[in-house]
Amino acid sequence: MPKKICYARGCNELISMKQTYCDKHKKIHEEEKRLSNYIYDLTIRDKNSTSFYHSDEWLLTRADIKAKDKGLCVLCLSNKAITFMELVHHITELKENWELRCEPRNLISLCNSCHNEVHAEYKRSNKHKEDMQHKLKSLIKDR
Ligand SMILES: [Zn+2]
Ligand SMILES: [Zn+2]
Ligand SMILES: [Zn+2]
């Protein structure tokens, strides 16, 4: 069977004609691909969301949600505390579903401290995240 040399520079491993890399370099190549996808996500996609946060579309939606929630943190209110809202949070995150970026049923007014707690739950596990998303959605179901 004809053989060729691994595509990686400096590697003399013989591989079959169908392969591009030897096993070792195939792993390295895949790891590099994963890494560049990850960097793509961090830079390109985040640029996308950064410009979104400055768009008229978002600023108008944000003002609308703030008015709907009467300028208060909905989570604090559910604990019978009155706290001014500081931001509008995406229950399903932008990176998860771009289509829901201005959907009122996906947006909730929060204070900074509640917002930090919400994101801490999101990070704990998928289960904690789903529970928190469910709770937040139930708090705004009337609008
Ligand atoms: Zn190799
Ligand atoms: Zn709060
Ligand atoms: Zn958030």
Side-chain angles (χ1 to χ4, degrees):
M1 202 165 66
K3 293 251 180 191
K4 63 175 185 180
I5 284 175
C6 169
Y7 189 72
R9 193 192 304 222
C11 178
N12 295 318
E13 199 73 46
L14 286 177
I15 54 176
S16 83
M17 296 306 284
K18 286 194 303 246
Q19 292 172 288
T20 311
Y21 293 101
C22 67
D23 286 349
K24 182 181 128 200
H25 284 110
K26 189 171 163 224
K27 268 208 194 91
I28 293 174
H29 182 70
E30 275 164 3
E31 198 50 52
E32 275 169 359
K33 218 161 72 185
R34 232 195 318 270
L35 193 66
S36 73
N37 279 341
Y38 176 62
I39 290 170
Y40 172 82
D41 278 1
L42 283 183
T43 54
I44 311 296
R45 215 194 285 186
D46 258 27
K47 252 187 215 129
N48 198 3
S49 64
T50 309
S51 58
F52 166 69
Y53 283 120
H54 291 106
S55 69
D56 289 348
E57 182 192 30
W58 171 245
L59 295 175
L60 289 171
T61 305
R62 189 187 181 284
D64 180 45
I65 299 299
K66 182 179 178 178
K68 278 189 168 69
D69 294 333
K70 302 184 175 58
L72 299 175
C73 170
V74 177
L75 210 49
C76 282
L77 200 62
S78 75
N79 294 317
K80 306 205 167 26
I82 302 285
T83 313
F84 289 118
M85 62 80 84
E86 287 165 284
L87 50 90
V88 171
H89 164 73
H90 285 91
I91 299 174
T92 295
E93 296 177 281
L94 278 183
K95 60 178 183 225
E96 283 179 86
N97 191 344
W98 182 249
E99 300 294 306
L100 296 178
R101 65 193 180 281
C102 289
E103 165 57 54
R105 278 165 301 171
N106 189 46
L107 297 167
I108 185 167
S109 302
L110 295 176
C111 68
N112 275 330
S113 116
C114 285
H115 189 235
N116 288 340
E117 270 174 49
V118 164
H119 279 277
E121 284 299 291
Y122 277 23
K123 277 196 205 115
R124 267 173 83 184
S125 73
N126 280 341
K127 176 83 177 80
H128 284 94
K129 182 174 182 173
E130 277 167 27
D131 286 351
M132 178 51 84
Q133 287 176 325
H134 189 77
K135 179 181 173 183
L136 294 175
K137 278 182 193 154
S138 75
L139 292 175
I140 55 163
K141 65 175 186 306
D142 293 334
R143 60 166 178 239

